[in-house]
Amino acid sequence: GESVGLHLPTLSVQEGDNSIINCAYSNSASDYFIWYKQESGKGPQFIIDIRSNMDKRQGQRVTVLLNKTVKHLSLQIAATQPGDSAVYFCAENMSQGAQKLVFGQGTRLTINP
Amino acid sequence: GAGVSQSPSNKVTEKGKDVELRCDPISGHTALYWYRQSLGQGLEFLIYFQGNSAPDKSGLPSDRFSAERTGGSVSTLTIQRTQQEDSAVYLCASSLKKYNSPLHFGNGTRLTVT
């Protein structure tokens, strides 16, 4: 399944499938990007980050892709599990020399058994 | 090791009252941030502390909001004369001083103004 961030804030996938969550960021000068996962009643949890000098970074079951040409960021989750159900936020650092993250509105991912 | 700790976890207050929200960052993290999250929304930056530098207050929505950080560790966010539109989850985060280090968030304080 695939989402387009602000335009499709919910995404449902079957357990075991791969999911792709997309995010369009706003500032071409942003040099750092992070994906967070937020479960109900909890604060955002860091998943993976990527710097602008890279276009791909892999973690455990997650991959982040960065396309600076079109200012697009995606999070791929492999072999989704029920515990992956949450809201996922992308964030960009728009402040050179500082660290003020600007967050997207989030995408709700639901894993169906 | 302990993560970012916020207290209280929930706060209900009457319109017009003042409230104080507390944040204990991760030990060794010199940067501290406050964000606000309204229901079903993304996170809105409020204020940022980095070491002994002057805080970046550019996100505070009005002069009723203020924050301080004592001894470079614990921070308190104060909202004076609360309004119903202040109802939200207030999230604190901390990070290492190193540029482009990820922020680590607490679980927030849910503020309800009645």
Side-chain angles (χ1 to χ4, degrees), chain B residues 26-72:
Chain B
I26 293 172
S27 178
H29 282 190
T30 57
L32 187 147
Y33 313 76
W34 284 97
Y35 282 79
R36 178 169 71 174
Q37 185 174 31
S38 300
L39 185 63
Q41 300 296 311
L43 280 71
E44 173 191 5
F45 168 80
L46 297 178
I47 188 170
Y48 160 57
F49 296 89
Q50 174 58 280
N52 295 322
S53 303
D56 180 339
K57 305 179 182 180
S58 60
L60 294 179
S62 78
D63 59 7
R64 296 186 296 105
F65 287 72
S66 63
E68 62 178 24
R69 189 178 184 192
T70 54

Side-chain angles (χ1 to χ4, degrees), chain B residues 12 14 17 31 40 53 55 60-61 66 72 80 90 95 108:
Chain B
V12 180
E14 292 180 352
K17 300 285 190 181
S53 303
L60 294 179
S66 63
Q80 296 178 309
Y90 290 82
S95 75

Side-chain angles (χ1 to χ4, degrees), chain B residues 65-83:
Chain B
F65 287 72
S66 63
E68 62 178 24
R69 189 178 184 192
T70 54
S73 181
V74 172
S75 177
T76 301
L77 177 69
T78 301
I79 309 174
Q80 296 178 309
R81 305 180 302 282
T82 51
Q83 304 294 314

Side-chain angles (χ1 to χ4, degrees), chain A residues 27-42:
Chain A
N27 190 339
S28 57
S30 292
D31 61 358
Y32 181 58
F33 306 87
I34 309 181
W35 280 100
Y36 283 93
K37 171 186 179 182
Q38 187 174 29
E39 297 173 284
S40 181
K42 296 186 178 180

Side-chain angles (χ1 to χ4, degrees), chain A residues 31-32 34 36 38 41-46 49 51 89 93 95-106, chain B residues 33 35 37 40-45 48 56 58 91 95-96 98-108 110:
Chain A
D31 61 358
Y32 181 58
I34 309 181
Y36 283 93
Q38 187 174 29
K42 296 186 178 180
Q45 175 188 355
F46 170 79
D49 58 2
R51 288 165 175 72
F89 292 97
N93 185 14
S95 303
Q96 300 301 315
Q99 188 114 311
K100 286 167 56 177
L101 296 181
V102 174
F103 284 76
Q105 290 302 303
Chain B
Y33 313 76
Y35 282 79
Q37 185 174 31
Q41 300 296 311
L43 280 71
E44 173 191 5
F45 168 80
Y48 160 57
D56 180 339
S58 60
L91 290 158
S95 75
L96 294 169
K98 187 176 68 171
Y99 182 53
N100 286 343
S101 297
L103 275 61
H104 297 271
F105 284 86
N107 285 329
R110 180 175 297 278

